[in-house]
Amino acid sequence: MAKFILSAFADEASPDIDEQVSALKKNRIEMIEPRNVNGKNISDFTVDEAKALKEKLDAAGIKVSSIGSAYGKIFINEDFEPHFEAFKNTVEVAKILGTKYIRMFSFYIPEGDDPAQYKDEVLRRVKAMAEYSFEQGILCCHENEKGIYGDIPERCLEIAEALGEKIGTIFDPANYLQCGAETYAGFKMLEKYITYMHIKDVRVADGAVVPAGCGDGRVQDILSELDKKEEKVYILTVEPHLKVFDGLNALENGNADKLNMSAFIYPDNTSSFAAACDAIHAIVEKVQPVRYGIIGVGNMGTSHIRMNVDGRHVGMRITAVADINPERLEAAKKLLPYVNTYNTAEELIDSGDCDVVLIATPHYFHSPIAQYAFAKGLNVLTEKPAGVYTKQVREMNEAAAKSGKVFGIMYNQRTNCVYRKMREMVQSGEYGEIRRVNWIITDWYRTQAYYNSGGWRATWEGEGGGVLLNQCPHNLDLWQWICGLPVKVQAFLHEGKWHDIEVEDDVTIYAEYENGATGVFVTTTGDCPGTNRFEITLDGGKLVCENNELKFYKLNGRISEHCATSENGFGRLEGEWIDVETDGLNKQHSEVVNKFTSKILYGTDLVANGEEGIRGLSISNAAHLSSWLGRAVELPVDEDLYYAELQKKIQNSTYKKTVTEAVQGDMSSTFGS
């Protein structure tokens, strides 16, 4: 689940820094690895020159990925001390430019000599630079290069293993090919050490330098492997070498005339740079082929973007976002500089930029947006709840079925190992039928500021409900997912009990099951500290989930049998508490997104399909209806009656609220309940 960030040696487009910035922006490259700037090598920059460069790059919105230095590109028998002293200055330059990395090499070996005889001296020099920069908070990253000690994977591995965390590894497929090494085998040897990549390619048959994917570097195969890495971010630095540019001869140790650049002909360096950028864009699009559009970039939409930026998604990339708030769109572009932005959901859906829309708008909009997207041939993943009432969700599923597209619900709590284990134990039948269910879920504490943060929140017209519609869809879903749907509920909902809102913020639901079992569900946003305790009493024991820990009291028999046959009126059925083992995995939203992507690509299972959106919502609708009517309500709920009663709440509302807009991009603290 890697995130690929594109950088480039923009000096291959032009020696002029302004033209370099222009080339980066034109080719959708968000970072630069500075090497030659206005005719001067970055290794020779003074601190003052670095400050001026930083100011220019900041103004353009370009970040520095690494310092493209030439340190380590002297012969091993040359004096190291002056080289090392100059290196120390470049560490300061790296700090000023705001990068964590400095590129380095492992010294030229005299032609014809056995590199092994220089190993100790190479490691001494590399260690000196790496340890110095590491102490300064900068990581030296070793690049493989022909003619130096670290030219082939085996010797690059020696360096990586010798210095451990104090050195990074740059993987350059073309450079390995030019040394006679097979790149994919080298990648498998070094993959756990790779910090970032240089992207250029070579055709082995004639030695021609070609755009990535046109040679034998197996760039796409390597990126496909990296994309499987857990929450990793990799910088891919485009290094075209498709046309002669200022400084190339120095970089090639005086051998630039030996490079074969005749395979692809370009009129100028701007064109060759663009071709190299186009090539890596095309490969990334093949590795991550599913295009997502995020509709609604408030709290949850922004959180999905951050997960993507952090490398938690696989096989997909975010290509567009939509929001009616221009400030939110601007904030999204800061996180994803080259994402396309739209002012409405319809504009995004009509754009052709996406294969999937992820809907993170207020609840009422989920259904119309989803239905429009299905009509336009897009797949839909929607935040919870799928809608405000089951009739909406039924219409969404009908539209999905008609379109033949994938429809999923963001029930991320189903990924929690604790709840998965509870479901497994209950559904297996090993411990008998359910007798009683109790869930006290009162750790949803919210202040008035939370309710004031959006005009739609906590209103019948904007949200359609309170704690049941906003905080508890996950819990209601888990309740029915683990235990099944009740057949009848009676509920007591207190509206605006603890906050200045018109919807419920304090709830007690009593439920009955077909087999005679009963359940109680208690929730509120007004308790502090709250409780999250989920108990399921089975005929053969009791499951207790609290503080994200699962315990099971395993009885030595069955309650039903013991109650009927025991001759001791006060006798107890003995048992013991057992700590239940789980797989420990709880990947939340990212797993829902990744499985949705996998469903599109490979037909694998979703975490929750669109039809599941009706089940938990039916409990919520029944609870509201029960409270409004003052009586028990049977499931399935009367959809027309519920809708009519909801419209009465909306039409009779006299509530006026104060709104203070705010976006909390990190929603991770709200995922656990």
Side-chain angles (χ1 to χ4, degrees):
M1 290 178 274
K3 170 69 177 178
F4 298 126
I5 299 175
L6 299 188
S7 182
F9 287 104
D11 58 342
E12 298 207 28
S14 170
D16 180 82
I17 186 59
D18 291 325
E19 293 180 8
Q20 290 182 28
V21 167
S22 177
L24 291 168
K25 286 184 163 295
K26 183 177 180 180
N27 291 285
R28 297 178 291 136
I29 306 294
E30 55 194 286
M31 303 188 84
I32 186 172
E33 185 162 343
R35 184 172 53 194
N36 284 283
V37 178
N38 293 332
K40 188 170 186 176
N41 191 285
I42 193 71
S43 301
D44 300 325
F45 261 46
T46 66
V47 166
D48 287 340
E49 287 171 327
K51 290 178 180 178
L53 177 59
K54 179 71 161 67
E55 185 176 342
K56 181 178 287 290
L57 294 175
D58 283 349
I62 300 292
K63 295 181 179 180
V64 174
S65 61
S66 180
I67 301 297
S69 81
Y71 290 106
K73 272 197 169 184
I74 61 172
F75 277 91
I76 191 64
N77 48 20
E78 290 184 62
D79 189 1
F80 175 60
E81 291 310 313
H83 197 66
F84 185 38
E85 289 304 312
F87 169 78
K88 292 178 181 179
N89 178 74
T90 301
V91 172
E92 297 306 310
V93 169
K95 292 179 187 178
I96 292 167
L97 292 178
T99 181
K100 299 183 293 184
Y101 306 127
I102 293 178
R103 175 181 71 160
M104 65 170 297
F105 300 88
S106 51
F107 303 94
Y108 287 117
I109 303 301
E111 189 172 355
D113 285 2
D114 181 4
Q117 66 181 298
Y118 299 104
K119 176 180 177 179
D120 290 344
E121 178 61 14
V122 166
L123 291 180
R124 182 188 76 82
R125 294 183 176 198
V126 170
K127 181 180 180 182
M129 291 192 289
E131 288 188 341
Y132 177 83
S133 64
F134 191 79
E135 291 171 359
Q136 303 295 314
I138 303 294
L139 186 69
C140 274
C141 297
H142 174 258
E143 181 184 356
N144 56 295
E145 171 93 2
K146 61 182 180 295
I148 65 172
Y149 181 82
D151 56 349
I152 59 175
E154 290 79 5
R155 285 194 282 271
C156 290
L157 182 61
E158 285 179 1
I159 294 169
E161 291 179 335
L163 291 171
E165 66 173 358
K166 294 182 179 179
I167 198 165
T169 297
I170 303 170
F171 192 90
D172 188 317
N175 286 356
Y176 280 127
L177 290 174
Q178 290 174 335
C179 297
E182 203 281 313
T183 57
Y184 191 77
F187 164 75
K188 297 305 290 184
M189 185 183 300
L190 291 161
E191 62 179 318
K192 73 176 183 178
Y193 297 103
I194 294 173
T195 309
Y196 70 94
M197 287 186 65
H198 282 172
I199 302 297
K200 63 177 181 288
D201 207 347
V202 164
R203 199 165 57 197
V204 172
D206 57 1
V209 182
V210 295
C214 297
D216 298 297
R218 297 187 65 178
V219 177
Q220 184 174 328
D221 292 338
I222 291 170
L223 294 192
S224 294
E225 288 296 315
L226 292 179
D227 192 45
K228 298 174 185 176
K229 303 299 180 184
E230 192 80 12
E231 297 183 17
K232 287 283 190 176
V233 177
Y234 291 101
I235 297 169
L236 309 178
T237 300
V238 180
E239 187 178 19
H241 276 28
L242 298 176
K243 195 171 180 67
V244 174
F245 58 94
D246 289 353
L248 178 62
N249 200 49
L251 291 172
E252 294 297 323
N253 196 31
N255 295 313
D257 58 329
K258 297 179 182 179
L259 293 176
N260 182 354
M261 296 183 176
S262 62
F264 291 78
I265 306 299
Y266 304 98
D268 50 45
N269 289 93
T270 301
S271 301
S272 62
F273 183 78
C277 294
D278 287 345
I280 190 58
H281 278 302
I283 290 175
V284 170
E285 287 167 9
K286 291 177 182 177
V287 172
Q288 298 178 331
V290 182
R291 302 170 301 159
Y292 274 67
I294 310 294
I295 299 177
V297 285
N299 289 339
M300 203 61 244
T302 300
S303 187
H304 286 299
I305 291 173
R306 290 190 185 279
M307 291 177 211
N308 186 261
V309 169
D310 291 342
R312 300 187 197 179
H313 296 150
V314 63
M316 58 81 75
R317 62 196 190 282
I318 298 174
T319 52
V321 298
D323 201 290
I324 60 174
N325 186 326
E327 293 179 0
R328 291 182 178 180
L329 290 179
E330 193 60 34
K333 281 195 74 74
K334 289 181 180 178
L335 292 170
L336 294 170
Y338 292 100
V339 71
N340 292 329
T341 59
Y342 298 94
N343 297 314
T344 69
E346 291 77 12
E347 288 178 8
L348 183 148
I349 291 167
D350 290 339
S351 69
D353 286 341
C354 308
D355 307 299
V356 175
V357 292
L358 196 165
I359 304 172
T361 64
H363 318 325
Y364 273 111
F365 299 111
H366 291 182
S367 182
I369 292 172
Q371 291 186 60
Y372 187 76
F374 287 132
K376 295 292 184 175
L378 299 184
N379 304 283
V380 175
L381 176 59
T382 184
E383 272 294 341
K384 55 79 187 173
V388 175
Y389 42 91
T390 57
K391 189 174 182 179
Q392 278 187 321
V393 185
R394 200 174 306 282
E395 291 170 349
M396 295 162 77
N397 278 285
E398 289 170 356
K402 184 177 180 180
S403 71
K405 295 299 178 179
V406 181
F407 180 27
I409 310 291
M410 187 64 70
Y411 282 144
N412 50 284
Q413 284 297 333
R414 291 192 184 189
T415 71
N416 188 318
C417 57
V418 172
Y419 298 127
R420 285 189 283 111
K421 190 65 176 181
M422 292 181 78
R423 173 179 162 84
E424 176 189 321
M425 293 177 71
V426 171
Q427 297 288 323
S428 71
E430 181 179 353
Y431 303 103
E433 289 189 329
I434 293 174
R435 296 172 66 92
R436 184 181 305 279
V437 180
N438 292 296
W439 199 344
I440 303 174
I441 172 71
T442 58
D443 60 347
W444 288 120
Y445 180 67
R446 296 290 188 269
T447 66
Q448 188 64 41
Y450 167 81
Y451 289 109
N452 293 347
S453 68
W456 60 280
R457 287 191 192 282
T459 64
W460 295 117
E461 184 176 18
E463 190 164 18
V467 63
L468 290 180
L469 262 293
N470 196 311
Q471 282 74 40
C472 286
H474 290 302
N475 311 106
L476 295 174
D477 173 63
L478 292 170
W479 180 11
Q480 67 82 25
W481 187 57
I482 295 168
C483 303
L485 277 172
V487 295
K488 183 188 293 185
V489 302
Q490 178 130 18
F492 304 89
L493 278 57
H494 298 274
E495 298 168 359
K497 184 175 183 179
W498 307 115
H499 305 87
D500 180 20
I501 59 177
E502 67 174 353
V503 295
E504 83 281 352
D505 60 359
D506 195 294
V507 172
T508 300
I509 301 173
Y510 166 76
E512 295 180 1
Y513 288 84
E514 189 172 7
N515 71 340
T518 60
V520 176
F521 184 93
V522 178
T523 190
T524 181
T525 54
D527 283 10
C528 185
T531 298
N532 187 348
R533 183 179 176 92
F534 188 8
E535 296 184 0
I536 303 174
T537 301
L538 301 163
D539 201 23
K542 175 183 281 191
L543 277 165
V544 178
C545 175
E546 189 168 19
N547 299 322
N548 213 34
E549 295 180 355
L550 184 59
K551 293 186 176 182
F552 181 60
Y553 191 84
K554 183 178 181 182
L555 293 169
N556 298 327
R558 291 289 190 265
I559 298 173
S560 55
E561 181 181 352
H562 182 267
C563 182
T565 61
S566 176
E567 295 179 359
N568 184 349
F570 295 94
R572 291 177 59 83
L573 185 57
E574 297 300 321
E576 62 176 333
W577 283 105
I578 299 170
D579 289 328
V580 180
E581 291 187 8
T582 70
D583 61 18
L585 299 177
N586 184 16
K587 297 183 180 179
Q588 294 286 327
H589 298 76
S590 60
E591 182 168 353
V592 178
V593 172
N594 290 333
K595 287 197 170 183
F596 192 88
T597 304
S598 183
K599 173 70 173 179
I600 293 170
L601 293 174
Y602 313 115
T604 52
D605 292 337
L606 297 172
V607 170
N609 62 40
E611 293 177 354
E612 293 291 299
I614 295 175
R615 294 174 62 83
L617 186 59
S618 68
I619 302 177
S620 174
N621 284 182
H624 276 110
L625 193 56
S626 171
S627 182
W628 297 338
L629 299 178
R631 61 172 174 82
V633 169
E634 293 184 354
L635 279 77
V637 70
D638 184 330
E639 294 180 342
D640 292 331
L641 178 59
Y642 174 81
Y643 182 76
E645 292 298 320
L646 176 60
Q647 297 312 303
K648 289 180 185 178
K649 300 292 285 188
I650 294 171
Q651 292 161 11
N652 295 333
S653 172
T654 59
Y655 176 70
K656 303 294 181 185
K657 72 178 297 185
T658 301
V659 179
T660 305
E661 289 285 351
V663 173
Q664 179 179 321
D666 182 4
M667 296 288 287
S668 58
S669 64
T670 74
F671 298 167
S673 297

